[in-house]
Amino acid sequence: MAAVTASTWRDIVSYVRLNYPDLSRGWFSQLSPRTLASGTLTVAAGNASQVSYLRRHCQRPFAVAAQAATGRLLTVDFESSADPQASGERIPSLSFEEENELALNGDYVFDNFVVGPCNRLAHAAAVAVSEAPGRAYNPFFIHGSVGLGKTHLLQAVCQQVLEVAPASRIKFISCETFTNHFLEAVEKGAMNQFRYRYRNADVLVIDDIQFLAERERSQEEFFHTFNTLHQSHRQIILSADCPPPEIPSLEERLVSRFNSGLVTLLERPCLETRMAIIRKKAKMRCLDVPEEVVRLIAGAIDSNIRELQGALAKLELLAATRAGGIDLAAAEQVIGVDNGRRRVSIPEILELVGQRYNLRQADLQGKRRTKSVTRPRQICMYLARHLTDMSLGEIGGYLGGRDHTTVLHAERLIGERGTEDPALRRELQELKDQLLNRPAHAR
Ligand code: ADP
Ligand code: MG
């Protein structure tokens, strides 16, 4: 049976060196793994006195290291390579193709990132990390709501590192990819390849790490990946929609690891920053957008930069088909000001209902059926039926892929309860008022 891969073996030796410096010896670099059978990893040393030293002092440190690196319960034994019984089996060679998983977006660079009070700290830290990966802040953790520039900053760091040191091994992946690769590796018995993939990076960037929530085995594996990289001073960068302690059921040891570097928050941008972002994006699209239009859009869309950008794209499309080009009337049409009344969107409903009932959007869109979630979810459906033009199917699609009968049922149920229960009636009215009457320009 094959022993461990070269990279896992390197991990084991580094682990011992780091955690047991007093026991480590220079000749450890000449040790090599020989066989792995019945839960025992046999390691070859150069001569009998080394074997004797290892057996007396290092059996446990190497076992702990082997367990950390492989995630398996292993014991370790030593033998001399001069031993005639030694099998001579070699470490299997690794046949990895260099996979290029970097899907870096050329627009997501520091030059295109508008800095304001909401993101100054996160931006400065990201620049510092890109200038000294593994040394400035490690790990570097950015959190903030959706559409506030987390992915942009993460990618900007990667692109800056590559600009200075093109040979850097950068692994930029979503948390989903990490967990999928992990499950695939478990299924195919290819954990060594998996570990080589991730523990060999100079910079490991995982976007939306909150998706590790409730995935115990992936968390366990990520913990070891994290330790291996961190101990060898390689940079780890993570993003999430909330700070580490708020990621649901994230193991305490991971929370403390994530908190051990720099944790920064991306806040919602203020009006000036939103205006600067629109100007920047307009320039990138070679669009001439009058200041009054910039102000109108920035005033109307205050929660999410991605939506600001979407509005600009719609404006460009619309302007191409009308005589006035990009003017106030076109902008009003784009942001949904309709005779002084706003059109309401489902994301707005989800956001407001989420805030009111202290739920995350993922809960409202998810599968959980506890009463604390189902009632607010039904309220979302009810509001969507009353305040948007969406079909039953579309509303169900937004709310976790539920079918049209579920939406119809929710609408009826909440309507009926609202007539019977004055508190619910008031609550619904308040939600409607907030959604409809938030003046589009004045926010
Ligand atoms: P997140 O990952 O936080 O959901 P993204 O990084 O995908 O958000 O950002 C959404 C969009 O907003 C992207 O197109 C990004 O370029 C843009 N964006 C976010 N923040 C800024 C900023 N400060 N300056 C310029 N563009 C920004
Ligand atoms: Mg993102």
Side-chain angles (χ1 to χ4, degrees):
M1 184 174 173
V4 293
T5 64
S7 85
T8 306
W9 177 245
R10 274 197 302 276
D11 292 344
I12 294 173
V13 176
S14 319
Y15 188 101
V16 173
R17 283 197 195 289
L18 272 161
N19 292 285
Y20 305 92
D22 296 345
L23 293 174
S24 289
R25 297 291 179 266
W27 46 263
F28 278 11
S29 56
Q30 288 149 26
L31 301 174
S32 62
R34 196 163 254 170
T35 56
L36 176 56
S38 313
T40 299
L41 173 65
T42 304
V43 175
N47 55 50
S49 70
Q50 289 177 356
V51 172
S52 145
Y53 173 85
L54 289 163
R55 284 201 174 139
R56 260 186 297 129
H57 302 291
C58 301
Q59 216 124 20
R60 197 178 135 65
F62 271 89
V64 171
Q67 285 168 24
T70 62
R72 295 169 56 186
L73 199 60
L74 295 177
T75 54
V76 177
D77 193 17
F78 303 93
E79 64 184 21
S80 162
S81 44
D83 186 339
Q85 292 190 338
S87 68
E89 200 171 338
R90 301 198 54 81
I91 306 170
S93 65
L94 296 163
S95 59
F96 277 110
E97 295 164 38
E98 257 320 303
E99 289 160 83
N100 185 5
E101 281 166 14
L102 291 173
L104 294 179
N105 179 334
D107 286 343
Y108 289 0
V109 291
F110 285 127
D111 276 352
N112 292 338
F113 193 83
V114 174
V115 182
C118 54
N119 58 27
R120 197 176 305 285
L121 185 64
H123 172 264
V127 170
V129 167
S130 74
E131 284 169 352
R135 284 177 287 134
Y137 305 109
N138 203 13
F140 175 41
F141 191 105
I142 306 181
H143 67 99
S145 315
V146 63
L148 295 186
K150 299 182 294 295
T151 302
H152 188 141
L153 272 184
L154 256 44
Q155 293 216 5
V157 174
C158 296
Q159 306 202 56
Q160 184 60 29
V161 170
L162 282 174
E163 175 128 358
V164 176
S168 304
R169 288 164 302 185
I170 295 185
K171 196 150 280 294
F172 179 96
I173 45 156
S174 67
C175 185
E176 217 62 5
T177 306
F178 180 86
T179 50
N180 288 345
H181 282 170
F182 171 65
L183 294 177
E184 190 187 322
V186 171
E187 214 167 89
K188 295 188 177 158
M191 281 312 292
N192 287 336
Q193 278 97 324
F194 174 84
R195 290 191 175 123
Y196 181 82
R197 235 179 187 185
Y198 287 103
R199 299 183 186 186
N200 197 34
D202 297 316
V203 180
L204 175 67
V205 186
I206 303 196
D207 207 359
D208 293 319
I209 196 80
Q210 73 271 10
F211 289 117
L212 269 189
E214 335 245 331
R215 300 189 179 208
E216 268 172 44
R217 292 180 67 195
S218 299
Q219 288 190 22
E220 163 95 27
E221 184 58 32
F222 184 66
F223 177 72
H224 297 304
T225 305
F226 184 102
N227 287 343
T228 307
L229 291 171
H230 197 257
Q231 279 158 9
S232 49
H233 304 288
R234 282 170 288 166
Q235 181 69 48
I236 300 153
I237 310 179
L238 306 168
S239 81
D241 66 358
C242 59
E246 288 174 27
I247 298 178
S249 61
L250 185 68
E251 286 180 24
E252 196 45 47
R253 57 185 182 163
L254 278 175
V255 173
S256 82
R257 294 281 184 301
F258 293 176
N259 275 330
S260 67
L262 182 72
V263 177
T264 56
L265 167 67
L266 281 178
E267 292 181 71
R268 286 182 179 198
C270 62
L271 182 67
E272 284 69 29
T273 309
R274 299 202 297 279
M275 290 176 65
I277 291 171
I278 296 177
R279 286 189 210 106
K280 172 74 104 189
K281 301 279 179 192
K283 199 163 163 211
M284 286 166 70
R285 288 170 169 264
C286 301
L287 292 178
D288 194 12
V289 182
E291 257 321 272
E292 57 195 13
V293 170
V294 170
R295 179 169 286 278
L296 177 70
I297 297 179
I301 301 174
D302 68 346
S303 58
N304 181 323
I305 299 168
R306 194 173 293 135
E307 280 185 20
L308 275 184
Q309 214 164 291
L312 203 60
K314 275 191 220 153
L315 194 60
E316 181 179 11
L317 209 62
L318 187 68
T321 61
R322 58 197 294 286
I326 296 181
D327 60 8
L328 267 183
E332 284 182 347
Q333 198 171 331
V334 162
I335 60 176
V337 180
D338 217 1
N339 298 327
R341 280 198 123 198
R342 298 184 64 241
R343 268 186 228 127
V344 175
S345 71
I346 295 217
E348 284 173 318
I349 295 176
L350 291 178
E351 192 187 335
L352 187 67
V353 173
Q355 277 167 10
R356 169 72 65 111
Y357 298 98
N358 214 2
L359 291 170
R360 290 149 48 99
Q361 294 205 8
D363 295 325
L364 291 170
Q365 295 181 298
K367 302 275 172 237
R368 259 178 46 213
R369 296 240 186 112
T370 49
K371 193 163 175 216
S372 61
V373 185
T374 45
R375 177 51 57 89
R377 193 181 284 140
Q378 287 166 336
I379 292 180
C380 287
M381 295 179 189
Y382 171 89
L383 291 169
R385 287 288 288 158
H386 287 254
L387 303 177
T388 74
D389 298 331
M390 295 224 166
S391 68
L392 292 166
E394 283 171 319
I395 296 170
Y398 253 107
L399 283 146
R402 292 178 160 81
D403 68 15
H404 69 280
T405 51
T406 312
V407 180
L408 210 53
H409 170 72
E411 184 193 357
R412 289 209 184 114
L413 184 83
I414 297 296
E416 283 165 15
R417 296 275 152 85
T419 41
E420 294 158 8
D421 173 358
L424 179 62
R425 189 162 59 242
R426 251 196 325 278
E427 200 146 313
L428 292 173
Q429 196 53 50
E430 272 171 31
L431 288 167
K432 279 188 195 168
D433 287 347
Q434 278 192 50
L435 287 162
L436 282 171
N437 298 331
R438 277 194 296 185
H441 312 40
R443 289 181 300 153

